[in-house]
Amino acid sequence: MAGALDSLDGTEPRLLAAMRHAVLLGGKRMRPQLVYASGTACGAREDDLDAAAAAVELVHAYSLVHDDLPALDDDALRRGQPTVHVAHGEATAIVAGDALQALAFSLLADAPLPDACRVAMMAELASASGAAGMCGGQAFDLAATGSEPITLAALERLHAMKTGALLRAAVRLGALAADADPSTRAALDRFAGALGLAFQVRDDLLDIESDTATLGKTAGKDVAQDKATFPALIGVEASRARLRELARVMQDALEGCRGDTTALAELGRRVIERNH
């Protein structure tokens, strides 16, 4: 990712600084790790996964830049650092997010892979990040905030789009690079669906159980903004029980995959047990 940013010769300095701020100041890197884990499990070479791993993380980074803006979550802290709009100004942050999204698709377009594979990857990432995925989920989240309580099914659909779609795309991108067989892809989809939901349930719990220093972002924001969350809807204990159920779903799904799924299983465990 640093190499991709370094290649942007002639970019306006403030824009490039904001892009670097968004991408290179840390993070869990869960999505690129999923690309590598699913791809290598299906037999892909790591070099063939680099572009997809970077692309999905760039889209994630752009989404965080925009999510933190005053018009959305209005957050001043991300990864223990000032958010991009706080450090570089709101207008520059908007443009930086746009530029990161464009860079993601540029990396996929130039990936050293067969044409059909590159096109399939771009289609997958576009679907996961657009109205049918991440952006659509964000819109549902905005509509649900401060409104009457939504159903559990509606909340799960919201997060399957807002959070889950990009995580699922990361797993699918690895499988596409490896040209995995249909049964393995279906098993990986089941794993990724459970992982995406578990990621959000754990996120909701951390918002009320952890602190700002540990999280690297403002704790308690969901309650303060009257967000639709799993603890608010079904309670803390039921949310923990849902996490245990999702862990079993992930384990069962990986048993249907060919190849070594040790890295995928470890990432699933991290999602369940993470503290930030």
Side-chain angles (χ1 to χ4, degrees), residues 11 25 30 95 98 109 111 118 148 150 169 175-176 183 186 203-204 214 218 220 239 243 262 265:
T11 301
L25 291 187
M30 176 63 64
V95 178
D98 294 342
R118 288 187 286 118
E148 293 298 316
I150 64 176
L176 283 169
S183 65
D203 214 52
D204 288 353
T214 302
T218 308
S239 297
L243 271 182
T262 303

Coordinates of all heavy atoms in Angstrom, one line a residue, residues 11 25 30 95 98 109 111 118 148 150 169 175-176 183 186 203-204 214 218 220 239 243 262 265:
T11 N 0.9 14.2 -7.2 CA -0.3 14.4 -6.4 C -0.1 15.6 -5.5 O 0.9 15.8 -5.0 CB -0.6 13.1 -5.6 OG1 -0.8 12.0 -6.5 CG2 -1.9 13.3 -4.8
L25 N -1.3 4.4 9.2 CA -1.2 4.6 10.6 C -1.7 3.4 11.4 O -2.1 3.6 12.6 CB -1.9 5.9 11.1 CG -1.3 7.2 10.6 CD1 -1.9 8.4 11.2 CD2 0.2 7.2 10.9
M30 N -7.5 -6.8 9.0 CA -8.2 -8.1 8.9 C -8.6 -8.4 7.5 O -8.5 -9.6 7.1 CB -9.5 -7.9 9.7 CG -10.4 -9.1 9.7 SD -9.7 -10.6 10.4 CE -9.5 -10.1 12.1
V95 N -12.0 14.3 -0.3 CA -11.3 14.0 -1.6 C -10.4 12.8 -1.4 O -10.2 11.9 -2.3 CB -10.6 15.2 -2.0 CG1 -9.8 14.9 -3.3 CG2 -11.6 16.4 -2.3
D98 N -12.3 9.6 -1.6 CA -12.6 9.3 -3.0 C -11.4 8.8 -3.8 O -11.5 7.8 -4.6 CB -13.0 10.6 -3.7 CG -14.4 11.1 -3.2 OD1 -15.1 10.3 -2.5 OD2 -14.7 12.3 -3.4
A109 N -7.0 -3.4 -11.5 CA -7.0 -3.4 -13.0 C -5.6 -3.7 -13.5 O -5.4 -4.3 -14.6 CB -7.4 -2.0 -13.5
A111 N -3.4 -5.7 -11.8 CA -2.8 -6.9 -11.2 C -2.3 -7.9 -12.3 O -2.9 -8.0 -13.3 CB -3.9 -7.5 -10.4
R118 N -9.2 -10.6 -13.1 CA -9.2 -9.2 -12.7 C -10.6 -8.6 -12.8 O -11.0 -7.8 -11.9 CB -8.2 -8.4 -13.6 CG -6.8 -8.8 -13.3 CD -5.8 -7.9 -14.0 NE -5.7 -8.2 -15.4 CZ -6.0 -7.4 -16.4 NH1 -6.5 -6.2 -16.2 NH2 -5.8 -7.8 -17.6
E148 N -37.5 4.0 15.8 CA -38.0 2.9 16.6 C -37.1 1.7 16.4 O -36.5 1.5 15.4 CB -39.4 2.6 16.0 CG -40.5 3.7 16.3 CD -40.7 3.9 17.8 OE1 -40.8 3.0 18.5 OE2 -40.7 5.1 18.2
I150 N -35.5 -1.7 15.5 CA -35.7 -2.5 14.4 C -35.6 -4.0 14.8 O -35.2 -4.3 15.9 CB -34.6 -2.3 13.3 CG1 -33.2 -2.6 13.8 CG2 -34.7 -0.8 12.8 CD1 -32.1 -2.5 12.7
A169 N -16.1 -10.1 0.8 CA -15.4 -9.8 -0.5 C -14.0 -10.2 -0.4 O -13.4 -10.7 -1.3 CB -15.6 -8.4 -0.9
A175 N -10.3 -16.5 -3.0 CA -10.8 -17.7 -3.8 C -10.8 -17.5 -5.3 O -10.5 -18.4 -6.0 CB -12.2 -18.0 -3.3
L176 N -11.1 -16.2 -5.7 CA -11.1 -15.9 -7.1 C -9.6 -16.1 -7.7 O -9.4 -16.6 -8.8 CB -11.6 -14.5 -7.4 CG -13.1 -14.4 -7.3 CD1 -13.5 -12.9 -7.3 CD2 -13.8 -15.1 -8.5
S183 N -17.8 -25.8 -4.6 CA -18.1 -26.2 -3.2 C -17.2 -25.5 -2.2 O -17.7 -25.1 -1.1 CB -18.0 -27.7 -3.1 OG -16.6 -28.1 -3.3
A186 N -18.5 -22.0 -1.8 CA -19.8 -21.9 -1.0 C -19.4 -22.1 0.5 O -20.0 -21.3 1.4 CB -20.7 -23.0 -1.4
D203 N -17.9 -5.8 18.0 CA -17.7 -4.4 17.9 C -18.7 -3.7 18.8 O -18.4 -2.8 19.6 CB -17.8 -3.9 16.5 CG -16.9 -2.7 16.2 OD1 -15.7 -2.8 16.4 OD2 -17.4 -1.7 15.7
D204 N -20.0 -4.1 18.7 CA -21.0 -3.5 19.5 C -20.8 -3.8 21.0 O -21.0 -2.9 21.8 CB -22.4 -4.1 19.2 CG -22.9 -3.7 17.8 OD1 -22.3 -2.8 17.2 OD2 -23.9 -4.2 17.4
T214 N -8.0 1.7 24.8 CA -7.9 0.4 24.3 C -8.4 0.3 22.8 O -7.7 -0.3 22.0 CB -8.6 -0.6 25.2 OG1 -8.1 -0.5 26.5 CG2 -8.4 -2.0 24.6
T218 N -13.3 6.5 19.9 CA -14.2 6.9 21.0 C -15.1 5.8 21.4 O -16.0 5.3 20.7 CB -15.0 8.2 20.6 OG1 -14.1 9.1 20.1 CG2 -15.7 8.7 21.8
G220 N -18.3 4.2 23.6 CA -19.6 4.7 24.0 C -20.4 5.5 23.0 O -21.4 6.1 23.2
S239 N -26.1 -11.3 23.2 CA -25.0 -11.0 22.2 C -23.8 -11.9 22.3 O -23.3 -12.4 21.3 CB -24.6 -9.5 22.3 OG -25.7 -8.7 22.1
L243 N -22.3 -14.7 19.6 CA -20.9 -14.9 19.2 C -20.5 -16.3 19.3 O -19.8 -16.8 18.4 CB -20.0 -14.0 20.2 CG -19.7 -12.6 19.8 CD1 -18.8 -11.9 20.8 CD2 -19.1 -12.5 18.4
T262 N -6.0 -23.3 8.5 CA -5.6 -22.9 9.8 C -5.6 -21.4 10.0 O -6.0 -20.9 11.0 CB -4.1 -23.4 10.0 OG1 -4.1 -24.8 9.9 CG2 -3.7 -23.1 11.4
A265 N -9.1 -20.1 10.3 CA -9.6 -20.4 11.7 C -9.1 -19.4 12.7 O -9.8 -19.0 13.6 CB -9.3 -21.8 12.0

